[in-house]
């Protein structure tokens, strides 16, 4: 499928478990991003990546790990899930390196940590 | 600390009337601003943007106004249509890559 996809769309996991959320884009965009959406906070940036093997922290990186071995994939891992990480997670990408460009968002993954 | 604020969580407007959504920011380094629209169970989609060198940008029924001295931007939708009912997020960036989003305003357009 063309565009940006996320999997799974819904996930329930237990506290302490490791879980990985997948993000895949077909545009060869250089930049990719992970956000979480919570009531009262809007969208907050967790991590972003400027290119393969280049990642950087956003506003709320604690408890998350990312990697980017290939341009098209940007997985987000919760190494030991906590209830505070229950949220909707969005992946996004954009094309211009340092330029002004809108971000294109995936459909989101709703994660519940019990 | 929230650098981008949308102080109205919700707004209801009659079909055909103007919808005005507001956004305030605190960081004077922000120089690029966007509005996104989000339907339930979908990702946000880009609506319109403005850079700090402009004070107005128009795209069809959507116009964004930027007041840099007040650190305020607004989105005007004229005329409002029922399909415009969604959550609207404003976002700001100092670099064009790392964006800070507001908390969103839920717009309901009443037929």
């Amino acid at each position: 499928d063309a565009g940006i996809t996320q999997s799974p769309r819904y996930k329930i996991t237990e506290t302490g478990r490791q879980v990985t959320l997948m993000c895949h884009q077909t545009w060869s965009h250089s930049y990719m991003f992970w956000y979480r959406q919570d009531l009262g906070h809007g969208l907050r940036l967790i991590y972003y990546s400027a290119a393969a093997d280049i990642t950087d922290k956003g506003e709320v990186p604690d408890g998350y790990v990312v990697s980017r071995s290939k341009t098209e994939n940007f997985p987000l891992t919760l190494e030991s899930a906590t209830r505070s990480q229950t949220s909707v997670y969005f992946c996004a990408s954009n094309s211009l390196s340092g330029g002004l460009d809108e971000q294109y968002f995936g459909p989101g993954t709703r994660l519940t940590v019990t | 600390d929230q650098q981008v604020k949308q102080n109205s969580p919700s707004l209801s407007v009659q079909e055909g009337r103007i919808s005005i959504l507001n956004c305030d920011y605190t960081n004077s380094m922000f120089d690029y601003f966007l509005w996104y629209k989000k339907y339930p169970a979908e990702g946000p989609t880009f609506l319109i943007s403005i850079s700090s060198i402009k004070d107005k940008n128009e795209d069809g029924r959507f116009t964004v106004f930027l007041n840099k001295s007040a650190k305020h931007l607004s989105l005007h939708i004229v005329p409002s249509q029922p399909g415009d009912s969604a959550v609207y997020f404003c976002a700001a960036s100092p670099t064009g890559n790392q964006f800070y989003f507001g908390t969103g305003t839920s717009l309901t357009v009443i037929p």
Side-chain angles (χ1 to χ4, degrees):
Chain A
D1 291 334
I4 185 165
T5 57
Q6 294 182 235
S7 62
R9 293 294 312 277
Y10 301 91
K11 177 73 176 177
I12 300 173
T13 192
E14 294 177 342
T15 300
R17 298 267 189 160
Q18 178 175 287
V19 61
T20 296
L21 310 184
M22 304 301 295
C23 179
H24 175 79
Q25 52 104 355
T26 60
W27 295 304
S28 299
H29 284 171
S30 55
Y31 277 82
M32 295 187 75
F33 308 81
W34 274 106
Y35 292 89
R36 58 179 290 174
Q37 183 193 4
D38 304 288
L39 276 175
H41 291 280
L43 290 156
R44 290 181 293 175
L45 182 65
I46 304 170
Y47 268 96
Y48 67 103
S49 168
D53 298 321
I54 301 174
T55 62
D56 209 346
K57 296 179 181 179
E59 294 176 75
V60 289
D62 293 343
Y64 303 95
V65 175
V66 293
S67 62
R68 191 146 177 230
S69 57
K70 292 184 178 181
T71 301
E72 61 267 30
N73 296 324
F74 191 37
L76 176 74
T77 297
L78 290 68
E79 292 191 303
S80 179
T82 65
R83 289 195 178 127
S84 65
Q85 292 176 310
T86 293
S87 187
V88 181
Y89 291 85
F90 290 100
C91 179
S93 69
N94 75 355
S95 61
L96 297 181
S97 298
L100 301 180
D101 187 27
E102 67 268 23
Q103 296 180 357
Y104 299 86
F105 283 82
T109 294
R110 182 174 292 275
L111 176 67
T112 302
V113 183
T114 63
Chain B
D1 191 26
Q2 196 80 22
Q3 298 191 55
V4 179
K5 299 178 183 179
Q6 293 176 257
N7 293 318
S8 298
S10 62
L11 175 68
S12 290
V13 171
Q14 289 284 340
E15 181 179 2
R17 300 281 189 133
I18 185 171
S19 295
I20 300 176
L21 295 93
N22 294 303
C23 180
D24 297 293
Y25 60 96
T26 58
N27 190 337
S28 57
M29 298 300 291
F30 289 154
D31 63 2
Y32 187 52
F33 306 88
L34 303 93
W35 284 94
Y36 281 86
K37 178 178 179 178
K38 185 184 180 304
Y39 292 117
E42 296 182 10
T45 55
F46 170 73
L47 196 55
I48 193 168
S49 64
I50 189 167
S51 72
S52 59
I53 61 173
K54 293 185 176 181
D55 55 18
K56 177 183 174 182
N57 189 26
E58 192 171 350
D59 184 1
R61 296 185 298 113
F62 303 91
T63 303
V64 56
F65 296 91
L66 175 63
N67 182 333
K68 291 185 289 293
S69 60
K71 295 191 179 70
H72 177 83
L73 65 155
S74 61
L75 174 68
H76 292 209
I77 307 174
V78 182
S80 301
Q81 298 174 354
D84 296 329
S85 296
V87 177
Y88 289 79
F89 291 98
C90 67
S93 175
T95 62
N97 286 320
Q98 187 163 165
F99 286 91
Y100 296 83
F101 282 77
T103 51
T105 296
S106 178
L107 173 66
T108 302
V109 180
I110 303 164

